[in-house]
Structures are given as C-alpha cells and as structure tokens.
Amino acid sequence: MAKLNTLINTKINQDTVSIQGVDIPVIFTMESMEYIQEAYGEDYALFEAKLNAMMTRDVVHATGDNLKIIRSLIYAMVRSGGTECTLQELTNAIPFKDISGVYDTVFKIFQSQNFQEEDLNKIVNTKK
C-alpha cells in the first residue's frame, strides 16, 4: 500500500519559526483551533473576531489583548507542529525582539490556511 507522503506533499502548509536560533516546526490545522482556545481562554470564534479587528487597525500596539492574540496563535501553531510545551514556556522562550518575526511567519500561514467558524460548523453539521 502506498504511503500518503509518497503520493503528495504532506508538508504543504508546514513551515518553521526561529526561536533562539533553533528552527521550530509550525503548522495550522483544525487541531490548531483547539490550541488557540486553550491559550486564549475563549471560544475560537471570539479569538478570530478579535484578530480580525486587530488586523483592521493601521498600527497594532503591543498591548495586553493584542499580545494575548499573538501568543495564542504562535502557541497553537507550535503545538500543532509537534512541539510539546506550555504557553508559559513558549512565552518565556521567545525574546520580545523576536516576537514580530515569529508572528509574521505564523500569521502568513494562518491567512493561507484559515477558514471561518461557519465553515467548521458546516463540517460538524454535515449528515453522514
């Protein structure tokens, strides 16, 4: 039987972020939404609404709620990429000066892979 990775690119939406000079795999999958909810402490739909609101601003300031959104997205993608960690460990591991670069990478992946909460509801409500 053929293996999936011999038939297609199974790492199409996987990338890496550099944390302290080490490349850490990141990916956005449906599993990532659960990690976002864990880190953000709220429903994914609320996270997405706050992220969208943050992105409409001309300037994004490093304030409490914005940093919570950024940390949640980074954490979700690192965990989905296969790295075990806690939110606190990851927060402590990324130097403040590096947050922007790490966030840029995960946000680009998020934008290319994200689907709306209503799309998730369609999948859940589809009759088998």
Side-chain angles (χ1 to χ4, degrees):
M1 178 179 284
K3 292 185 177 185
L4 185 61
N5 66 357
T6 63
L7 301 172
I8 61 172
N9 180 1
T10 57
K11 296 184 182 214
I12 197 163
N13 65 337
Q14 188 168 21
D15 206 334
T16 60
V17 293
S18 180
I19 299 175
Q20 298 180 25
V22 176
D23 286 340
I24 308 295
V26 291
I27 192 168
F28 186 80
T29 64
M30 288 177 40
E31 178 184 38
S32 304
M33 290 182 228
E34 295 173 21
Y35 289 126
I36 286 172
Q37 288 181 164
E38 175 189 326
Y40 195 67
E42 302 280 346
D43 187 65
Y44 178 80
L46 179 61
F47 164 83
E48 188 174 53
K50 295 267 184 146
L51 175 64
N52 288 335
M54 181 178 85
M55 298 315 300
T56 62
R57 298 184 198 121
D58 291 333
V59 176
V60 176
H61 297 285
T63 61
D65 201 40
N66 292 343
L67 288 174
K68 184 177 176 182
I69 291 167
I70 291 167
R71 278 193 312 267
S72 299
L73 187 59
I74 294 170
Y75 172 76
M77 293 186 144
V78 166
R79 289 295 309 272
S80 297
T83 302
E84 284 288 327
C85 64
T86 66
L87 179 60
Q88 191 61 49
E89 285 174 325
L90 186 60
T91 299
N92 293 342
I94 303 173
F96 192 74
K97 66 180 178 60
D98 294 344
I99 290 175
S100 178
V102 172
Y103 176 68
D104 284 345
T105 299
V106 299
F107 188 70
K108 285 176 187 171
I109 296 169
F110 176 78
Q111 281 185 308
S112 69
Q113 296 298 319
N114 187 35
F115 57 91
Q116 303 297 315
E117 179 76 14
E118 60 205 37
D119 297 327
L120 180 61
N121 290 333
K122 288 177 191 174
I123 293 170
V124 171
N125 294 326
T126 302
K127 293 182 181 178
K128 304 240 181 221

